Amino acid sequence: MASHSDTLVVFFGATAGANGGKLGSDEREIILLVWQIVDLHEKKVGELHKCFVKPDTLELTDQCKEETGLTLEDVVNAEPLDKVLQQFQQSVSSEVKDLGRSSYTLLVDGPHVIRQALHPEASKKNLVLPECFFSFVDVRKEFHKCCPNADSTQKLALSSMLDYVGLPAVSEQMIGAREVSSMVTLTLCILAEPYNHTFSCVETVNYKFDSGTCSKTEPVDSEMVIRARGLPWQSSDQDIARFFKGLNIAKGGVALCLNAQGRRNGEALVRFINSEHRDLALERHKHHMGSRYIEVYKATGEEFLKIAGGTSNEVAQFLSKENQVIIRMRGLPFTATTQEVLSFLGPESPVTDGAEGLLFVKYPDGRPTGDAFVLFSCEEYAQNALKKHKQILGKRYIELFRSTAAEVQQVLNRYMSTPLISTLPPSPIVPVPVLTTPPFLPAASSTRDCVRLRGLPYTAGIEDILEFMGEHTVDIKPHGVHMVLNQQGRPSGDAFIQMKSPDKAFLVAQKCHKKTMKDRYVEVFQCSTEEMSIVLMGGTLNRSGLSPPPCKLPCLSPPTAYAAFPTPPAILSEAALYQPPLLAAPRPPQTSMHSPAHTLAYYPPQPHLYMNMNMNYTAYYPSPPVSPSTVGYFAAPPGAMAAAVAAQAHPAAAAASSVLPQPGALVRMQGLPYNTGVKDILSFFQGYQPELGGLS
């Protein structure tokens, strides 16, 4: 450490591209190293050393030539980086020994030359850097500590620091020599009276990335997290750490993102130790990993915890062993046992602690998913295991690839936290009161009391729309703002607003059409609730007119056996005629006013409502928000409840029918897409309650 070092080595570097505060941001190679030794005890200065470095790509940018004054002829005959680093180490060690000193620490003007230039280039060229390059002191931070009334660290420059202590600027004109001489002069000044400064703020560069676990309750600062996009799918957490070499990633701070199928999607969230390292990481936007460029963006702590956080004790115990290499196995036979997996891996790749180093991924009901994670104590054993990629176990080939602790958490969270069949709260006991339509559920009609907003910014929210509406906000019906989402659940740029009258809707369309929201103009059209309903169900509304959704099946109609009985108008007028996206929304029960006896509500077919398996997802914003745990859900009735509905109107027909008393009803579905899953079917029948195990 500098506080215990005998000497400082004032160090400077320049690249073939951007320099100064942008050093290393363009991936250009180092072409110049300059250094000079300062004896902290005797306040003596050694000889100034200057070495050119030959880059692999013999090209200097115009910016480099202008800022440094160097030309291609200066570096074409120089030694490569590895040779120059050897010369540096030999020269410094010899000079320190001649001074009778035993240790030294690098002193730099900002961290860029070490973190953004030297370490990334050495990593790409597979060079082993001397140990002295893994710790350094920053003259700006030391000066700010010595003179706290000076400018902030980011605003400090060598010239301003010299001026602050009353020293003239260095007259040296040569690049590198000027910077090093300025740092030496400044160092000698703050070492002497009246400052008597001690260099103690030592920064370190991690030798390697430490994997680990992250709890969902652990606080994560959003100023420390980035999202990397465009990663090769086979990249591991160590590969990502190598891409950010020179920057310190927090323990377990790499979380690979998975897609809906549990496969890596080429993105990762990375958590650094502080915001300074995060900001340096953002400067590596579009740097290369192999032949691919990687995009780097800001992310939030919430996003990181969603991917990397976990609460399972089983996972925590599995990952409690440190310094282990994790391998993921995919495609295992569902009947595979622990012993069969261990035998498949063989004696050349022993699993850490035998069976305890093997974690099978299972569904909540205990059924295997075909995935497993395996721990190995060293890289050699892991490499031996990876050689068995796509070899056969039983009658299936097994995929093996590197994994991370965050991926273990993410996979287990996905399979264990989400139930196989999404269940609704228990439905009310029969009889159920008739439901009146709440004010925020549009009853389809041709009255043009709605407006459509088109071209909204994707970041626009309810508050932005209300601000956009201005004085017309008071004319919006309660719960009358409907944001339209696309099939991926993201904002589509459209929204519908229910106004109190057609006149109010017309006025809004006239006054707000093509007004600006967040630098975008928004189109405002008057429309009817019928048109709004069809668009929300997946249809289109454009200049050519109204186009219903492609699939024209009636929306969630009761089974045909029950539909054969005509429903009295009294029930239909009071029944809840809901659109499919709203069927699972909580509805407060209300007592029917047209009859002293309780009647039952179900969802009859309507000619203007259509069901589309690829419908738009629509977000509704009731106010105040209601909690699904405190308000009951009213689902469409099973067979027995529908029988009761029909029996109320036609007791004789109900007695004569042998179909109605059955506890449930079967429905055959034809024309399903080949990739349809259980969740798709349950979503299609949202509002009904299918019996568990009733899908085949």
Side-chain angles (χ1 to χ4, degrees):
M1 295 178 63
S3 58
H4 301 104
S5 295
D6 303 305
T7 54
L8 288 175
V9 178
V10 181
F11 188 79
F12 172 85
T15 70
N19 288 285
K22 293 295 184 179
L23 185 73
S25 62
D26 54 3
E27 295 185 278
R28 293 287 183 168
E29 297 172 85
I30 294 174
I31 58 171
L32 175 67
L33 294 179
V34 184
W35 67 90
Q36 190 172 15
I37 287 181
V38 177
D39 188 333
L40 294 177
H41 294 291
E42 301 293 334
K43 311 296 189 294
K44 293 181 179 179
V45 179
E47 181 183 353
L48 181 71
H49 298 269
K50 181 177 181 179
C51 283
F52 291 109
V53 182
K54 182 179 181 180
D56 292 344
T57 303
L58 290 174
E59 180 184 1
L60 305 184
T61 65
D62 294 337
Q63 181 183 6
C64 171
K65 294 176 182 179
E66 181 180 350
E67 292 178 349
T68 65
L70 300 178
T71 63
L72 195 59
E73 289 73 20
D74 295 323
V75 300
V76 69
N77 295 320
E79 296 287 347
L81 181 62
D82 56 338
K83 299 293 184 182
V84 174
L85 291 177
Q86 290 179 9
Q87 295 177 19
F88 167 83
Q89 190 174 20
Q90 293 172 1
S91 172
V92 171
S93 299
S94 175
E95 196 168 350
V96 168
K97 185 177 181 181
D98 292 342
L99 291 172
R101 307 306 176 192
S102 59
S103 61
Y104 62 92
T105 301
L106 298 182
L107 175 70
V108 295
D109 179 23
H112 289 75
V113 63
I114 300 294
R115 297 194 184 277
Q116 296 288 75
L118 194 58
H119 275 277
E121 183 175 342
S123 177
K124 290 180 180 179
K125 296 181 177 180
N126 293 317
L127 303 181
V128 179
L129 290 175
E131 187 176 354
C132 62
F133 290 107
F134 287 86
S135 62
F136 63 91
V137 289
D138 187 347
V139 68
R140 300 187 187 191
K141 294 180 180 178
E142 295 290 343
F143 183 81
H144 193 268
K145 180 181 177 182
C146 177
C147 305
N149 294 327
D151 290 337
S152 62
T153 304
Q154 291 77 11
K155 296 181 180 180
L156 288 175
L158 289 174
S159 57
S160 63
M161 288 187 283
L162 287 172
D163 183 67
Y164 187 88
V165 296
L167 295 175
V170 175
S171 59
E172 178 65 51
Q173 298 299 317
M174 292 295 295
I175 181 69
R178 178 176 62 250
E179 287 77 10
V180 169
S181 297
S182 298
M183 284 189 279
V184 169
T185 302
L186 186 64
T187 299
L188 293 176
C189 177
I190 62 178
L191 285 173
E193 296 286 348
Y195 301 104
N196 295 320
H197 181 66
T198 300
F199 289 83
S200 58
C201 299
V202 180
E203 297 187 47
T204 60
V205 179
N206 290 345
Y207 286 92
K208 64 176 184 177
F209 167 69
D210 293 326
S211 60
T213 59
C214 178
S215 171
K216 284 189 178 295
T217 59
E218 182 178 341
V220 178
D221 190 347
S222 294
E223 296 299 314
M224 302 180 185
V225 183
I226 63 94
R227 178 184 294 272
R229 181 179 297 166
L231 299 165
W233 70 267
Q234 71 272 27
S235 58
S236 66
D237 54 352
Q238 296 294 338
D239 296 324
I240 296 171
R242 186 174 182 178
F243 175 80
F244 290 108
K245 186 67 176 177
L247 307 178
N248 294 345
I249 299 175
K251 183 177 180 180
V254 177
L256 296 169
C257 301
L258 306 181
N259 60 19
Q261 289 72 42
R263 300 176 182 269
R264 296 172 187 173
N265 63 4
E267 295 188 6
L269 294 168
V270 185
R271 175 190 179 191
F272 294 91
I273 61 171
N274 57 40
S275 58
E276 179 188 359
H277 288 233
R278 193 284 304 266
D279 293 339
L280 291 174
L282 291 173
E283 294 182 9
R284 301 195 186 183
H285 179 59
K286 292 198 174 180
H287 281 204
H288 288 77
M289 180 185 289
S291 60
R292 300 175 64 107
Y293 72 83
I294 309 302
E295 301 173 36
V296 182
Y297 304 100
K298 291 182 180 180
T300 65
E302 182 181 355
E303 290 175 316
F304 181 83
L305 286 176
K306 184 178 180 180
I307 300 299
T311 56
S312 170
N313 293 330
E314 183 182 14
V315 176
Q317 183 178 359
F318 176 75
L319 297 174
S320 61
K321 305 175 182 65
E322 296 186 355
N323 300 321
Q324 300 290 311
V325 183
I326 305 175
I327 298 296
R328 181 179 178 184
M329 304 180 69
R330 190 166 60 197
L332 291 169
F334 295 147
T335 57
T337 64
T338 301
Q339 190 56 47
E340 288 174 341
V341 175
L342 296 177
S343 300
F344 171 80
L345 295 171
E348 64 275 11
S349 49
V351 178
T352 301
D353 295 336
E356 294 184 5
L358 179 62
L359 176 65
F360 286 99
V361 182
K362 299 180 179 180
Y363 289 109
D365 59 2
R367 292 183 296 112
T369 64
D371 280 28
F373 293 93
V374 190
L375 295 179
F376 296 98
S377 59
C378 66
E379 186 67 30
E380 178 185 358
Y381 295 159
Q383 289 289 352
N384 292 336
L386 290 173
K387 294 177 182 178
K388 297 183 179 293
H389 179 60
K390 291 198 174 181
Q391 290 190 14
I392 303 299
L393 173 59
K395 295 183 179 181
R396 305 189 63 174
Y397 72 85
I398 311 302
E399 296 177 286
L400 291 93
F401 45 90
R402 292 181 179 274
S403 186
T404 67
E407 186 173 14
V408 177
Q409 295 276 27
Q410 193 178 170
V411 171
L412 266 293
N413 288 345
R414 174 166 298 178
Y415 281 113
M416 297 301 294
S417 62
T418 305
L420 294 179
I421 299 179
S422 56
T423 56
L424 297 174
S427 58
I429 300 175
V430 176
V432 180
V434 170
L435 305 178
T436 59
T437 306
F440 62 94
L441 294 178
S445 71
S446 58
T447 305
R448 299 175 63 81
D449 58 353
C450 299
V451 292
R452 180 187 185 185
L453 306 185
R454 186 169 67 186
L456 294 169
Y458 294 133
T459 58
I462 294 294
E463 296 80 5
D464 300 309
I465 292 178
L466 296 180
E467 182 180 353
F468 173 82
M469 297 284 289
E471 60 183 7
H472 304 289
T473 303
V474 296
D475 298 323
I476 300 176
K477 286 184 179 180
H479 318 285
V481 181
H482 308 282
M483 302 289 291
V484 181
L485 308 183
N486 61 21
Q487 295 175 8
Q488 288 74 40
R490 297 174 181 172
S492 66
D494 281 24
F496 285 94
I497 301 177
Q498 293 175 264
M499 308 302 294
K500 291 181 178 178
S501 69
D503 293 338
K504 301 294 185 183
F506 176 80
L507 187 61
V508 169
Q510 292 293 317
K511 297 289 186 181
C512 297
H513 184 56
K514 292 197 175 182
K515 274 182 59 178
T516 301
M517 180 191 298
K518 296 184 178 180
D519 298 328
R520 295 189 62 172
Y521 76 83
V522 179
E523 298 175 288
V524 183
F525 307 101
Q526 187 178 8
C527 65
S528 66
T529 52
E530 180 180 9
E531 293 169 334
M532 178 179 70
S533 298
I534 292 185
V535 171
L536 295 181
M537 294 298 298
T540 58
L541 179 61
N542 49 42
R543 296 190 181 112
S544 302
L546 184 63
S547 300
C551 183
K552 299 183 178 180
L553 294 176
C555 172
L556 294 180
S557 58
T560 54
Y562 312 135
F565 297 92
T567 309
I571 294 181
L572 283 177
S573 62
E574 301 258 1
L577 308 180
Y578 303 144
Q579 298 179 26
L582 304 175
L583 292 178
R587 307 284 178 255
Q590 299 183 8
T591 306
S592 174
M593 302 301 294
H594 73 281
S595 172
H598 289 300
T599 55
L600 297 176
Y602 69 97
Y603 312 112
Q606 292 293 305
H608 62 276
L609 295 179
Y610 304 95
M611 187 63 179
N612 181 5
M613 289 297 288
N614 296 314
M615 69 174 69
N616 294 334
Y617 294 87
T618 309
Y620 291 83
Y621 293 81
S623 74
V626 291
S627 170
S629 61
T630 57
V631 180
Y633 288 80
F634 291 82
M641 296 176 66
V645 172
Q648 289 179 3
H650 300 278
S657 174
S658 59
V659 178
L660 295 177
Q662 62 184 1
L666 296 178
V667 177
R668 180 180 180 183
M669 303 179 69
Q670 293 181 324
L672 290 173
Y674 293 120
N675 59 350
T676 302
V678 172
K679 291 185 178 179
D680 299 318
I681 297 175
L682 291 175
S683 177
F684 182 85
F685 283 109
Q686 189 175 9
Y688 285 97
Q689 288 183 328
E691 295 184 2
L692 294 179
L695 299 178
S696 60

